[in-house]
């Protein structure tokens, strides 16, 4: 009897453990440099430190502490370190000019990169499905509003690391020559994709590829007409090649914010033209 009773107790404890629902989490971000602890005690060892404006999933633990979930691991941090919502970029980061004259360091990588929630051509987990949180949130709104109008868009390529840029540029130089590569592919460190604020969009009608004829499709026409409402500009517009240094790319969106995008749209300005007037 004792053996049976012991077995039942162990079974009940185990069953309760495996069926207990995980706490509901909230999307948020760190409001300052945030120390993560293994226990809800500031005397506990610091297991990880997050920079300010880092997106996290969290759940309130008690009045003073919150659980922070990163992958399959959860930590504790004072609740004052976490704010619900989408982390906002500083205007300096959001309006950073990256072109053939202005580049980024090889180690530059935003701390706010998150995985896109909209359909992507590359499998989730690829760096090309990453985008800065504020821009990713705006892109999701653009996607869902477009779908309501019958236009389904896909993100082909968002973030690109310096290493990826280098491989891509060297490939096109080898395949088509430097002159061709310079008109279509940025030199390493000079790609907007490294900011996490740019994304190439496509559709099934384009067979998930990129071509200037995208602007002749229903999806492309809708996107070009409405992107500014969500804070995006067509970064390399037709007729502005001498200013941007790149051929026309109706698929390439760059997030700058609604006010700035609307101003550029209304005045038919490129980012460079807006930049000189800011």
């Amino acid at each position: 009897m004792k053996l049976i009773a012991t077995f039942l107790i162990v079974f009940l404890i185990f069953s309760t453990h495996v069926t207990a629902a995980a706490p509901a989490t909230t999307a948020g971000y760190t409001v300052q440099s945030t120390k993560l602890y293994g226990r809800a005690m500031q005397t506990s060892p610091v297991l990880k430190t997050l920079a300010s404006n880092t997106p996290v999933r969290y759940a309130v633990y008690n009045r003073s502490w919150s659980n922070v979930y990163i992958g399959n691991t959860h930590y504790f941090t004072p609740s004052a370190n976490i704010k619900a919502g989408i982390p906002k970029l500083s205007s300096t980061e959001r309006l950073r000019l990256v072109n053939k004259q202005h580049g980024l360091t090889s180690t530059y990588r935003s701390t706010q990169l998150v995985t896109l929630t909209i359909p992507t051509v590359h499998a989730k987990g690829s760096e090309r499905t990453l985008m800065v949180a504020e821009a990713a949130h705006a892109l999701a709104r653009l996607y869902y509003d477009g779908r309501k109008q019958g236009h389904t868009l896909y993100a082909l390529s968002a973030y690109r690391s310096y290493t990826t840029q280098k491989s891509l540029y060297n490939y096109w130089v080898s395949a088509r020559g430097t002159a061709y590569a310079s008109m279509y592919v940025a030199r390493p460190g000079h790609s907007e994709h490294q900011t996490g604020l740019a994304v190439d969009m496509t559709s099934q009608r384009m067979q998930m590829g990129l071509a200037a004829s995208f602007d002749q499709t229903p999806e492309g026409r809708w996107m070009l007409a409405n992107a500014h409402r969500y804070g995006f500009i067509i970064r390399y517009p037709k007729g502005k090649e001498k200013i941007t240094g790149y051929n026309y790319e109706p698929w390439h969106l760059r997030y700058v914010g609604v006010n700035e995008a609307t101003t550029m749209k209304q005045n038919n300005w490129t980012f460079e033209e807006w930049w000189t007037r800011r």
Side-chain angles (χ1 to χ4, degrees):
M1 284 296 293
K2 288 184 179 180
L3 181 61
I4 294 174
T6 302
F7 173 79
L8 287 173
I9 292 170
V10 171
F11 175 78
L12 288 172
I13 292 173
F14 179 73
S15 297
T16 301
H17 174 72
V18 298
T19 59
T25 58
T26 300
Y29 60 98
T30 56
V31 295
Q32 58 190 339
S33 181
T34 299
K35 295 177 180 178
L36 303 183
Y37 304 86
R39 300 178 65 187
M41 299 172 60
Q42 290 186 335
T43 55
S44 178
V46 176
L47 302 181
K48 197 176 186 71
T49 301
L50 302 180
S52 58
N53 290 321
T54 301
V56 295
R57 303 291 307 179
Y58 76 99
V60 174
Y61 176 65
N62 59 29
R63 187 164 56 183
S64 301
W65 289 81
S66 290
N67 292 293
V68 173
Y69 296 87
I70 300 177
N72 294 322
T73 305
H74 96 269
Y75 307 87
F76 295 94
T77 196
S79 296
N81 293 341
I82 306 293
K83 185 175 181 180
I86 303 297
K88 296 296 182 182
L89 289 164
S90 67
S91 59
T92 300
E93 287 295 302
R94 177 166 48 83
L95 299 170
R96 182 189 291 269
L97 178 64
V98 176
N99 58 15
K100 292 186 176 183
Q101 292 74 43
H102 300 84
L104 300 165
T105 66
S106 61
T107 58
Y108 178 86
R109 178 185 169 102
S110 174
T111 60
Q112 299 186 30
L113 293 174
V114 298
T115 300
L116 291 171
T117 57
I118 71 169
T120 56
V121 176
H122 292 277
K124 297 294 196 290
S126 165
E127 69 172 29
R128 299 193 184 200
T129 66
L130 300 176
M131 205 167 186
V132 166
E134 184 179 333
H137 182 69
L139 190 67
R141 290 192 294 109
L142 179 151
Y143 167 79
Y144 285 110
D145 284 354
R147 197 170 73 171
K148 289 176 185 176
Q149 300 295 319
H151 309 302
T152 302
L153 295 159
Y154 292 80
L156 174 59
S157 184
Y159 173 73
R160 289 180 202 156
S161 64
Y162 183 92
T163 300
T164 296
Q165 295 171 58
K166 187 175 181 179
S167 297
L168 191 62
Y169 182 77
N170 289 343
Y171 168 80
W172 283 109
V173 168
S174 176
R176 300 291 294 271
T178 303
Y180 177 90
S182 68
M183 291 302 296
Y184 288 98
V185 185
R187 287 182 291 114
H190 292 264
S191 171
E192 282 200 324
H193 288 278
Q194 192 178 346
T195 66
L197 298 170
V199 60
D200 294 333
M201 303 297 289
T202 187
S203 66
Q204 290 184 339
R205 208 180 304 267
M206 296 301 297
Q207 298 182 330
M208 302 303 185
L210 303 175
S213 59
F214 182 52
D215 66 5
Q216 299 302 307
T217 68
E219 299 85 9
R221 285 196 297 268
W222 183 88
M223 190 183 83
L224 269 65
N226 293 282
H228 66 287
R229 303 178 189 276
Y230 307 90
F232 292 93
I233 60 172
I234 305 304
R235 183 64 179 89
Y236 307 118
K238 186 182 292 185
K240 301 280 189 170
E241 292 84 355
K242 289 184 179 179
I243 297 172
T244 64
Y246 292 99
N247 280 352
Y248 174 45
E249 294 188 0
W251 59 81
H252 183 108
L253 296 180
R254 161 65 194 267
Y255 182 75
V256 295
V258 173
N259 291 338
E260 291 81 2
T262 300
T263 297
M264 291 182 223
K265 175 78 171 179
Q266 291 174 343
N267 290 280
N268 192 32
W269 288 340
T270 63
F271 195 16
E272 283 80 5
E273 290 172 302
W274 176 87
W275 184 262
T276 62
R277 294 170 171 82
R278 73 191 191 284

